[in-house]
Amino acid sequence: MSTSASDPAAAPDGAGPAEPSGLYDLAVIGAGSAGLAGAVTAAELGLSVALLDTATGTGGQFYRHPAPAAGALRPEALHHDWSAYAGLRRRLEASTMTRLGGHHVWTVSREGGSDSRESGSAGGPAGGSGGFAGGEGPWTVHAVTGADGCAERPVRVRARAVLLATGAYERQLPFPGWTVPGVVGAGGAQAMLKSGLVLPGKRVVVAGSGPLLLAVASSLAAAGARVPAVVEASGYLAYARHPRVLAANPHKLAEAALHGGILLRHRVRLRTRSAVTEVHGRDRVEAVTVTRLDRDWRPLPGTSRRIACDALAVGHGLVPQVELATTLGCATRATPDRTTALVLDDLQETSVPDLWAAGEAGGIGGAQLARTEGELAGLAIVSRLRGRSTRGGRVGKLQRRRDRMRAFADAMAAAHTPGPGWSRWLTDDTDVCRCEEVTAGTVRAAVADLGARDARTVKLLTRAGMGWCQGRMCGAGVACLAAGAGPGEPPAERRPLAVPVPLGALAALDGAAAGPVGEGPSPGPGDGPAA
């Protein structure tokens, strides 16, 4: 059975970072669809595996489900394709891997030097044979434990290979009133329902862009919320430009038909080429203004309509979470919807040897694609560490399935790319950076009067993006305003700290790791994170 605990490796008082079980063959970061698939595949083929995730449970955002204390009788009713997750969970429970829930990974570093070659059986879990690529030593995954990463001492997990399955977060574009209580992320509304069995309101407008809106609206309507409208800034006709891709992915059409049927049954109106351009209310959402858009997402005068509601679930697609990878120097690519994803080879390996990625980090594509990529990565890692060939029917079948679904994902991203005219929604007093309360007028002044031309310069001049979320909420908005008339997206920043870390956790590291993090030359064996 798998080892499962929220803080199994807490160090005693006065001790440094805990190391759960010596050297593993593989550390998987993220227990969603991709991470679970990669972890169980590698474990079933004999590798020692440590599976880390911020949450205490498994399933990630897609298969988020209520805690047992909530008393949900049929949590699967809130999910699409629950059987796939249930199968992965059964395989996880039957494995011998170590599951480390409640672990917030803040960086990954690598030991150097050929003398660092070790086998997995040396002082840790049973491992295989073989050394490390390029004469380099094992990876060290640094994490802090607890519900918010502040409850316990730091933890270090050492492994010969690392699989990043870090998922994504929502892209938010600001508009007047988006800070009014009752405005939540589209994915956040779904998470409230799946994990807490609660609704964000009784009458909820769902708005933004992307296929997630249909899933969110159908879930809310089926759970009893009144959904006056789904407001989609793009349209769906762009999918028709890719008939071969659609024909090769009939399951996606089936998903759309499923959600469409639920919306039709609950009389939910779909408004395309439209956006929520203002929220009304002081202490709570009371209504929203919906305005028609042109093809560049510019509001069309005289087309605004007010819709009464007590909540708004809004999101404009997803952004791959790649901070851990970019800090290590992994190559990235621009996606069709102007986000940044990792460059991966045919076997899911990044540009950094012995570092693989699967799922949304390589581009947004959904749970089924994530499972396929996770399994493929698991096979590739086993092949690398055991010295086996990757040629075979199973690998080839997975690659073909991945390529087919990735093509659909790219078509989907292109169809829902934000248009440059969305910034016309903003008044000068609209908060763009909510953490630091930086308005659109302040950002525009930095561009017009101080010569800022990119998100980083705006950040230095205005503090936009320096708050708790580190630009995850405001990054897209700031970058677009900085770009002026052209499209803009925040660069893939190299963050030495992927999540907030207490100073006590850094102080608990050994002396060699206590220097400046993420700067200077690459550290030697046992040193802090490499940038």
Side-chain angles (χ1 to χ4, degrees), residues 169-195:
Y169 55 91
E170 282 192 275
R171 171 164 52 189
Q172 295 291 343
L173 301 180
F175 48 88
W178 75 312
T179 58
V180 174
V183 178
V184 299
Q190 197 173 48
M192 291 171 64
L193 178 59
K194 288 181 177 181
S195 62

Side-chain angles (χ1 to χ4, degrees), residues 1 5 91 98-99 138 154 162 190 200 239 250 364 395 427 440 516 519 528:
M1 300 295 290
R91 293 166 65 188
T98 300
R99 184 164 68 84
V162 171
Q190 197 173 48
Y239 285 87
I364 306 303
V395 169
T427 58
E519 297 182 5

